[in-house]
Amino acid sequence: MMDIAAASMTMSQNRLALATSIRVMSLSKDIAAQQGKELVQMLKNAQPNLGNNLDIHV
């Protein structure tokens, strides 16, 4: 049977591990969002005139 001090320490460690995991996931999400924005901007700059003109010859 665990004593109260050991149970408290275990709970505290679990809480810290959970908080750390949540923070890492949040940072990963922010980085992915930024990379997505940069990718969209890069694609817009790659061929800025693509699709602006339509040449039709009959």
Side-chain angles (χ1 to χ4, degrees):
M1 179 181 257
M2 275 203 290
D3 61 355
I4 293 175
S8 176
M9 233 164 91
T10 301
M11 287 174 53
S12 179
Q13 289 172 344
N14 288 341
R15 199 173 320 133
L16 176 62
L18 179 61
T20 303
S21 295
I22 290 171
R23 181 67 179 142
V24 168
M25 284 191 295
S26 176
L27 290 172
S28 297
K29 181 187 72 92
D30 293 344
I31 290 170
Q34 181 62 35
Q35 288 175 338
K37 288 178 186 177
E38 290 172 2
L39 179 61
V40 168
Q41 188 62 39
M42 182 182 70
L43 291 172
K44 284 181 182 178
N45 292 336
Q47 301 241 351
N49 296 321
L50 187 64
N52 290 336
N53 297 319
L54 178 63
D55 294 330
I56 299 176
H57 297 278
V58 179

XYZ file of all heavy atoms in Angstrom:
433
model
N 0.835 -1.179 0.000
C 0.000 0.000 0.000
C 0.886 1.250 0.000
O 1.850 1.331 0.736
C -0.904 -0.047 1.233
C -1.809 1.147 1.335
S -2.829 1.075 2.807
C -4.339 0.577 2.077
N 0.563 2.215 -0.884
C 1.350 3.440 -0.959
C 0.961 4.396 0.158
O -0.203 4.475 0.531
C 1.105 4.158 -2.299
C 1.956 3.681 -3.427
S 2.149 4.897 -4.724
C 0.551 4.967 -5.458
N 1.934 5.106 0.625
C 1.595 6.112 1.616
C 1.207 7.418 0.919
O 1.332 7.563 -0.300
C 2.759 6.315 2.601
C 4.028 6.806 1.924
O 4.040 6.891 0.694
O 4.994 7.101 2.649
N 0.732 8.342 1.684
C 0.209 9.593 1.122
C 1.301 10.394 0.432
O 1.084 10.975 -0.638
C -0.481 10.423 2.228
C -1.739 9.695 2.693
C -0.827 11.812 1.722
C -2.442 10.343 3.841
N 2.502 10.412 0.987
C 3.600 11.176 0.391
C 3.971 10.615 -0.987
O 4.173 11.363 -1.943
C 4.808 11.166 1.306
N 4.026 9.300 -1.110
C 4.371 8.675 -2.390
C 3.269 8.921 -3.413
O 3.545 9.215 -4.587
C 4.605 7.184 -2.198
N 2.028 8.831 -2.981
C 0.904 9.083 -3.894
C 0.912 10.528 -4.361
O 0.673 10.819 -5.536
C -0.415 8.755 -3.203
N 1.195 11.436 -3.454
C 1.259 12.857 -3.796
C 2.375 13.130 -4.793
O 2.200 13.890 -5.751
C 1.471 13.689 -2.527
O 1.632 15.047 -2.868
N 3.534 12.495 -4.580
C 4.657 12.678 -5.498
C 4.332 12.127 -6.880
O 4.625 12.752 -7.902
C 5.903 11.976 -4.947
C 7.111 12.871 -4.863
S 8.350 12.165 -3.813
C 9.298 11.265 -4.968
N 3.703 10.969 -6.920
C 3.324 10.353 -8.190
C 2.329 11.233 -8.936
O 2.465 11.457 -10.145
C 2.719 8.957 -7.951
O 3.687 8.151 -7.287
C 2.327 8.303 -9.248
N 1.349 11.756 -8.221
C 0.362 12.646 -8.851
C 1.023 13.918 -9.380
O 0.709 14.393 -10.465
C -0.750 12.993 -7.866
C -1.699 11.840 -7.603
S -2.926 12.163 -6.318
C -3.661 13.670 -6.855
N 1.944 14.447 -8.631
C 2.651 15.654 -9.043
C 3.485 15.397 -10.298
O 3.504 16.214 -11.221
C 3.545 16.152 -7.909
O 4.248 17.301 -8.303
N 4.157 14.276 -10.346
C 4.952 13.924 -11.524
C 4.061 13.729 -12.744
O 4.398 14.159 -13.847
C 5.772 12.659 -11.256
C 6.916 12.871 -10.297
C 7.599 11.568 -9.894
O 7.068 10.477 -10.092
N 8.785 11.693 -9.303
N 2.910 13.081 -12.549
C 1.977 12.883 -13.653
C 1.429 14.220 -14.159
O 1.267 14.417 -15.359
C 0.826 11.971 -13.233
C 1.271 10.537 -13.072
O 2.315 10.139 -13.586
N 0.489 9.759 -12.349
N 1.133 15.112 -13.250
C 0.631 16.437 -13.621
C 1.678 17.203 -14.428
O 1.366 17.836 -15.429
C 0.257 17.202 -12.355
C -0.675 18.352 -12.592
C -1.173 18.985 -11.292
N -1.470 17.995 -10.272
C -1.061 18.078 -9.004
N -0.366 19.116 -8.600
N -1.367 17.141 -8.141
N 2.944 17.122 -13.998
C 4.024 17.788 -14.713
C 4.216 17.185 -16.102
O 4.376 17.912 -17.092
C 5.333 17.694 -13.919
C 6.570 18.281 -14.604
C 6.387 19.777 -14.840
C 7.806 18.029 -13.761
N 4.160 15.870 -16.202
C 4.315 15.200 -17.497
C 3.190 15.602 -18.443
O 3.415 15.876 -19.629
C 4.344 13.684 -17.318
N 1.976 15.678 -17.935
C 0.835 16.079 -18.751
C 0.969 17.529 -19.210
O 0.758 17.842 -20.383
C -0.470 15.884 -17.976
C -1.747 16.285 -18.696
C -1.914 15.456 -19.973
C -2.937 16.119 -17.788
N 1.344 18.419 -18.306
C 1.515 19.833 -18.651
C 2.614 20.003 -19.699
O 2.476 20.800 -20.636
C 1.835 20.646 -17.401
N 3.685 19.247 -19.564
C 4.778 19.308 -20.532
C 4.324 18.815 -21.899
O 4.609 19.447 -22.918
C 5.975 18.477 -20.033
O 6.379 18.956 -18.759
C 7.141 18.564 -20.985
N 3.597 17.730 -21.920
C 3.098 17.187 -23.188
C 2.161 18.170 -23.877
O 2.236 18.370 -25.093
C 2.351 15.869 -22.953
O 3.226 14.894 -22.471
N 1.296 18.795 -23.114
C 0.367 19.771 -23.687
C 1.132 20.959 -24.255
O 0.822 21.450 -25.343
C -0.662 20.216 -22.633
C -1.607 19.058 -22.333
C -1.437 21.440 -23.095
C -2.534 19.300 -21.166
N 2.146 21.414 -23.558
C 2.940 22.563 -24.036
C 3.675 22.205 -25.330
O 3.719 23.001 -26.269
C 3.937 22.988 -22.956
C 4.776 24.166 -23.329
C 3.954 25.424 -23.437
N 4.829 26.527 -23.778
C 4.507 27.498 -24.595
N 3.307 27.537 -25.144
N 5.348 28.460 -24.865
N 4.253 21.013 -25.393
C 4.965 20.579 -26.597
C 3.997 20.475 -27.778
O 4.304 20.906 -28.889
C 5.696 19.238 -26.358
C 6.197 18.639 -27.659
C 6.855 19.445 -25.384
N 2.809 19.926 -27.540
C 1.813 19.833 -28.614
C 1.376 21.219 -29.078
O 1.189 21.457 -30.266
C 0.604 19.022 -28.157
C 0.860 17.538 -28.116
S -0.625 16.540 -27.888
C -1.147 17.007 -26.260
N 1.234 22.143 -28.149
C 0.843 23.509 -28.499
C 1.914 24.171 -29.356
O 1.601 24.831 -30.356
C 0.605 24.318 -27.227
O 0.304 25.658 -27.532
N 3.173 23.990 -28.971
C 4.267 24.555 -29.764
C 4.318 23.928 -31.154
O 4.529 24.621 -32.149
C 5.607 24.361 -29.048
C 5.825 25.198 -27.795
C 7.097 24.753 -27.077
C 5.885 26.673 -28.124
N 4.105 22.622 -31.229
C 4.100 21.930 -32.516
C 2.982 22.452 -33.406
O 3.162 22.646 -34.608
C 3.935 20.427 -32.324
O 5.024 19.902 -31.613
N 1.815 22.687 -32.829
C 0.674 23.210 -33.581
C 0.985 24.603 -34.113
O 0.706 24.910 -35.277
C -0.566 23.252 -32.696
C -1.813 23.768 -33.399
C -2.957 23.946 -32.439
C -2.768 25.107 -31.531
N -3.292 26.370 -31.916
N 1.600 25.441 -33.280
C 1.950 26.794 -33.706
C 2.967 26.767 -34.847
O 2.862 27.526 -35.812
C 2.510 27.600 -32.535
C 1.467 27.887 -31.467
O 0.256 27.736 -31.751
O 1.865 28.248 -30.339
N 3.945 25.883 -34.745
C 4.966 25.764 -35.792
C 4.333 25.279 -37.092
O 4.623 25.801 -38.176
C 6.111 24.830 -35.339
C 6.918 25.504 -34.234
C 7.011 24.453 -36.516
C 7.913 24.588 -33.545
N 3.444 24.295 -37.004
C 2.775 23.774 -38.199
C 1.912 24.846 -38.852
O 1.879 24.966 -40.084
C 1.923 22.556 -37.839
N 1.226 25.645 -38.061
C 0.402 26.725 -38.604
C 1.276 27.756 -39.320
O 0.936 28.222 -40.415
C -0.406 27.384 -37.496
N 2.398 28.104 -38.722
C 3.311 29.071 -39.342
C 3.885 28.516 -40.641
O 3.976 29.225 -41.639
C 4.438 29.441 -38.370
C 5.420 30.449 -38.922
C 4.775 31.785 -39.244
O 3.859 32.228 -38.554
N 5.218 32.427 -40.295
N 4.266 27.242 -40.643
C 4.800 26.637 -41.858
C 3.739 26.588 -42.952
O 4.052 26.775 -44.128
C 5.320 25.228 -41.563
C 6.601 25.226 -40.771
C 7.054 23.833 -40.379
O 6.276 22.887 -40.334
N 8.341 23.703 -40.073
N 2.495 26.361 -42.572
C 1.406 26.368 -43.542
C 1.234 27.738 -44.176
O 1.072 27.859 -45.400
N 1.298 28.786 -43.362
C 1.191 30.153 -43.886
C 2.348 30.456 -44.835
O 2.159 31.068 -45.885
C 1.189 31.160 -42.741
C -0.080 31.175 -41.941
C 0.017 32.163 -40.800
C -1.199 32.086 -39.897
N -1.089 32.989 -38.749
N 3.549 30.038 -44.451
C 4.721 30.273 -45.292
C 4.620 29.507 -46.607
O 5.016 30.018 -47.658
C 5.996 29.892 -44.543
C 6.321 30.837 -43.400
C 7.461 30.363 -42.527
O 8.047 29.296 -42.811
O 7.772 31.046 -41.531
N 4.078 28.297 -46.571
C 3.903 27.499 -47.783
C 2.912 28.170 -48.729
O 3.155 28.264 -49.934
C 3.437 26.089 -47.430
C 3.182 25.149 -48.603
C 4.460 24.933 -49.408
C 2.629 23.830 -48.116
N 1.804 28.660 -48.180
C 0.818 29.354 -49.007
C 1.440 30.591 -49.645
O 1.258 30.853 -50.841
C -0.427 29.729 -48.171
C -1.327 30.693 -48.921
C -1.188 28.482 -47.788
N 2.198 31.347 -48.879
C 2.853 32.546 -49.414
C 3.864 32.175 -50.495
O 3.952 32.837 -51.520
C 3.548 33.316 -48.282
C 4.082 34.653 -48.710
C 2.987 35.593 -49.187
O 1.906 35.636 -48.626
N 3.259 36.331 -50.233
N 4.619 31.105 -50.275
C 5.601 30.663 -51.257
C 4.906 30.260 -52.560
O 5.368 30.593 -53.651
C 6.404 29.484 -50.716
C 7.490 28.999 -51.661
S 8.384 27.578 -51.007
C 7.135 26.318 -51.128
N 3.789 29.567 -52.452
C 3.057 29.154 -53.652
C 2.478 30.353 -54.400
O 2.450 30.374 -55.626
C 1.946 28.173 -53.284
C 2.425 26.802 -52.805
C 1.260 25.979 -52.286
C 3.155 26.063 -53.909
N 2.039 31.355 -53.669
C 1.516 32.567 -54.307
C 2.621 33.307 -55.054
O 2.390 33.869 -56.117
C 0.891 33.498 -53.267
C -0.449 33.048 -52.778
C -1.007 34.037 -51.770
C -2.345 33.591 -51.230
N -2.872 34.525 -50.224
N 3.816 33.315 -54.483
C 4.943 34.033 -55.086
C 5.614 33.257 -56.217
O 6.345 33.830 -57.007
C 5.986 34.369 -54.028
C 5.481 35.389 -53.033
O 4.580 36.162 -53.329
N 6.042 35.387 -51.840
N 5.377 31.960 -56.296
C 6.060 31.130 -57.285
C 5.681 31.533 -58.706
O 6.542 31.692 -59.565
C 5.738 29.658 -57.048
N 4.409 31.702 -58.983
C 3.930 32.085 -60.303
C 2.814 33.112 -60.106
O 1.638 32.773 -60.218
C 3.406 30.865 -61.054
C 4.438 29.797 -61.220
C 4.726 29.515 -62.676
O 4.040 30.003 -63.558
N 5.756 28.746 -62.914
N 3.170 34.354 -59.834
C 2.151 35.341 -59.484
C 1.145 35.629 -60.604
O 0.038 36.055 -60.343
C 2.953 36.588 -59.133
C 4.276 36.400 -59.768
C 4.508 34.928 -59.844
N 1.519 35.405 -61.874
C 0.612 35.705 -62.984
C -0.145 34.491 -63.489
O -0.937 34.607 -64.422
C 1.394 36.329 -64.140
C 1.999 37.662 -63.744
O 1.363 38.442 -63.038
N 3.223 37.912 -64.157
N 0.092 33.357 -62.893
C -0.562 32.134 -63.331
C -2.071 32.237 -63.135
O -2.565 32.541 -62.058
C -0.029 30.936 -62.548
C -0.509 29.564 -63.012
C -0.003 29.283 -64.425
C -0.022 28.487 -62.067
N -2.802 32.037 -64.212
C -4.248 32.066 -64.143
C -4.872 33.427 -64.355
O -6.082 33.559 -64.360
N -4.049 34.461 -64.542
C -4.596 35.805 -64.733
C -5.019 36.062 -66.170
O -5.868 36.920 -66.415
C -3.582 36.865 -64.307
C -3.394 36.884 -62.801
O -4.266 36.461 -62.062
N -2.257 37.384 -62.352
N -4.433 35.366 -67.116
C -4.743 35.599 -68.531
C -5.251 34.311 -69.170
O -4.810 33.221 -68.843
C -3.488 36.056 -69.294
C -2.975 37.368 -68.768
O -3.748 38.267 -68.477
N -1.665 37.481 -68.633
N -6.156 34.469 -70.114
C -6.677 33.344 -70.848
C -6.583 33.689 -72.331
O -7.251 34.621 -72.794
C -8.133 33.069 -70.454
C -8.830 31.923 -71.183
C -8.117 30.611 -70.859
C -10.291 31.841 -70.781
N -5.723 33.010 -73.048
C -5.559 33.254 -74.479
C -6.325 32.169 -75.249
O -6.086 30.990 -75.065
C -4.081 33.174 -74.875
C -3.272 34.301 -74.244
O -3.848 35.374 -74.012
O -2.077 34.083 -73.983
N -7.262 32.625 -76.081
C -8.053 31.693 -76.874
C -7.872 32.062 -78.353
O -8.052 33.207 -78.749
C -9.544 31.761 -76.500
C -9.734 31.398 -75.046
C -10.370 30.841 -77.396
C -11.166 31.534 -74.548
N -7.465 31.064 -79.142
C -7.322 31.245 -80.592
C -8.245 30.240 -81.284
O -8.255 29.077 -80.926
C -5.876 31.007 -81.042
C -4.927 31.985 -80.443
N -4.754 33.231 -80.967
C -4.101 31.892 -79.383
C -3.840 33.878 -80.239
N -3.433 33.076 -79.261
N -8.989 30.728 -82.267
C -9.904 29.841 -83.008
C -9.474 29.787 -84.442
O -9.109 30.709 -85.064
C -11.353 30.311 -82.896
C -12.280 29.390 -83.682
C -11.756 30.391 -81.449
